């Protein structure tokens, strides 16, 4: 049960330097790490959050939520390798440098309504997750924080079965576990759904919620994909934002799909159009009022059945998306928040955009045109 007080979030995971490489040529550099995408969504909803992230002294980007600086370590670096070959539809991800892990002593001793374990480079330890479970009422875990291992030679990311990790024993205490369709084979869906809600994201197919004996498909929002990076992170941010604001789980997952679709439609860290975001916040508020009239929603329990207004909410979010005025290749942020935070965001924008070649932009836009014509 969520206590009747202002919800707060603890978000744990390191910032990274992301290097995009196509056909062995560097085409872009960007701020990375799940927290960089999740914070954009949570900040957009003015959700009180504490971020525990580590970087080295070489960290290159100004950020709104400052990390812990490790004087004897370098910032985690990922190389994302793409290919022009048609048979290679996805990226090959390599961790070429790893910052220090986040330990239990790095976490505050405060109590939080929600906790998000969103490591990307092996920085979250089993004992760190265990402390999160102790101090957070509801914990969301991205499976990539648990099952990623890294080749000892070149750092290629290789997933392993969850049962082979030191995190497996903690599964009964996790409330939400998110996995992509590619990661789902590394967990036993039938086993996991008995003890927590498993959310499997599947790109243009939306997502599926597995909870006990229920499986619910949540509709996607059609988008021309130009960069899949961070889509799952934005989805998780939207899911949490929805629950913080009192939505049922299916409606919160719908909000997650919405923010995931905005993210894949842009290059790099997404900008959230102020007009769109304000309209979405209004739709969320209206949906929340409808949820509080449901018997299940009146006692503070999480609601796992679709609301009778679920389809209406889906249509409303789709209409809100159409109000965006930003071109696809523009990658700044514009979030509604306090004047001081807004100034920080504008300062951050100039430092965190991907540095991308004009050729890459042309390829992205041409690809989008080809998709529309087909």
């Amino acid at each position: 049960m969520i206590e009747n007080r202002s919800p707060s979030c603890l978000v744990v995971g390191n910032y990274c330097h992301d290097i995009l490489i196509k056909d062995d040529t560097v085409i872009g550099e960007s701020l990375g790490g799940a927290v960089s995408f999740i914070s954009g969504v949570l900040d957009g909803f003015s959700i009180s959050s504490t971020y525990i992230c580590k970087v080295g002294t070489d960290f290159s980007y100004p950020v709104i939520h400052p990390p812990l600086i490790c004087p004897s370590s370098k910032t985690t670096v990922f190389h994302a390798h793409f290919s022009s070959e048609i048979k290679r539809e996805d990226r090959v991800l390599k961790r070429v440098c790893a910052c220090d892990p986040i330990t239990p002593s790095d976490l505050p001793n405060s109590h939080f309504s929600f906790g998000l374990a969103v490591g990307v480079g092996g920085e979250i330890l089993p004992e760190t997750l265990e402390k999160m479970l102790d101090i957070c009422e509801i914990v969301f875990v991205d499976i990539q924080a648990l099952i990623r291992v890294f080749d000892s030679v070149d750092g290629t990311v290789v997933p392993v079965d969850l049962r082979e990790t030191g995190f497996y024993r903690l599964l009964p205490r996790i409330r939400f576990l998110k996995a992509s369709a590619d990661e789902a084979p590394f967990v036993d869906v039938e086993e996991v759904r008995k003890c927590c809600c498993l959310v499997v994201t599947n790109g243009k197919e939306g997502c599926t919620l597995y909870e006990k004996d229920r499986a619910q498909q949540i509709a996607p929002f059609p988008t021309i994909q130009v960069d899949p990076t961070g889509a799952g992170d934005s989805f998780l941010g939207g899911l949490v934002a929805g629950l913080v604001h009192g939505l049922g789980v299916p409606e919160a997952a719908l909000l997650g799909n919405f923010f995931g679709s905005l993210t894949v439609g842009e290059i790099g860290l997404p900008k959230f159009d102020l007009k769109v975001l304000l309209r979405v916040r209004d739709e969320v508020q209206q949906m929340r009022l409808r949820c509080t009239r449901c018997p299940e929603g009146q006692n503070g329990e999480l609601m796992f059945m679709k609301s009778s207004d679920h389809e209406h909410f889906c249509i409303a979010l789709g209409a809100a998306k159409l109000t965006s005025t930003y071109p696809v290749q523009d990658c700044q942020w514009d979030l509604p928040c306090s004047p001081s935070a807004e100034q920080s965001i504008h300062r951050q924008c100039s430092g965190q955009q991907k540095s991308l070649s004009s050729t890459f932009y042309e390829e992205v836009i041409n690809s989008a045109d080809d998709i529309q014509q087909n």
Side-chain angles (χ1 to χ4, degrees), residues 119-226:
V120 294
E123 66 267 31
I124 296 181
L125 307 174
E127 54 266 34
T128 305
L129 178 57
E130 190 165 20
K131 181 170 180 180
M132 289 186 67
L133 292 163
D134 290 338
I135 64 177
C136 300
E137 190 172 340
I138 296 176
V139 174
F140 301 76
V141 179
D142 193 321
I143 193 69
Q144 67 183 1
L146 312 185
I147 65 171
R148 280 184 172 183
V149 297
F150 307 91
D151 184 86
S152 59
V153 176
D154 65 0
T156 297
V157 176
V158 180
V160 298
D161 193 286
L162 179 60
R163 286 170 290 195
E164 300 175 12
T165 73
F167 299 96
Y168 180 68
R169 63 183 175 83
L170 300 173
L171 185 60
R173 299 182 61 192
I174 295 170
R175 197 67 185 89
F176 289 87
L177 184 66
K178 184 196 79 69
S180 69
D182 292 334
E183 295 164 336
F186 297 93
V187 300
D188 185 330
V189 173
E190 295 306 314
E191 177 187 15
V192 171
R193 69 194 296 181
K194 294 176 183 178
C195 55
C196 74
C197 179
L198 174 64
V199 185
V200 178
T201 58
N202 194 19
K204 63 181 181 180
E205 303 300 324
C207 70
T208 305
L209 305 178
Y210 297 94
E211 197 263 338
K212 296 181 180 178
D213 59 348
R214 290 180 288 213
Q216 300 183 78
Q217 183 67 29
I218 307 300
F221 293 88
T223 300
I224 296 173
Q225 177 174 297
V226 297

Side-chain angles (χ1 to χ4, degrees), residues 68 87 99-100 142 152 190 192 215 222 238 259 266 271 285 291 308 321:
L68 302 173
K87 64 180 181 181
C99 193
D100 291 346
D142 193 321
S152 59
E190 295 306 314
V192 171
F259 279 101
E266 298 187 30
K271 115 186 122 173
Q285 179 62 23
C291 287
S308 59
K321 187 176 178 181

Side-chain angles (χ1 to χ4, degrees), residues 11 28 63 73 85 89 91 111 115 131 134 139 161 184 210 226 231 239 248 255 278 306 320 326 343 364:
V11 186
V63 290
S73 180
E85 298 177 25
E89 297 181 353
R91 61 185 179 178
H111 178 82
K131 181 170 180 180
D134 290 338
V139 174
D161 193 286
Y210 297 94
V226 297
L239 173 67
L255 189 64
L278 290 176
K306 286 184 179 179
Y326 290 151
Q343 291 173 4
V364 168

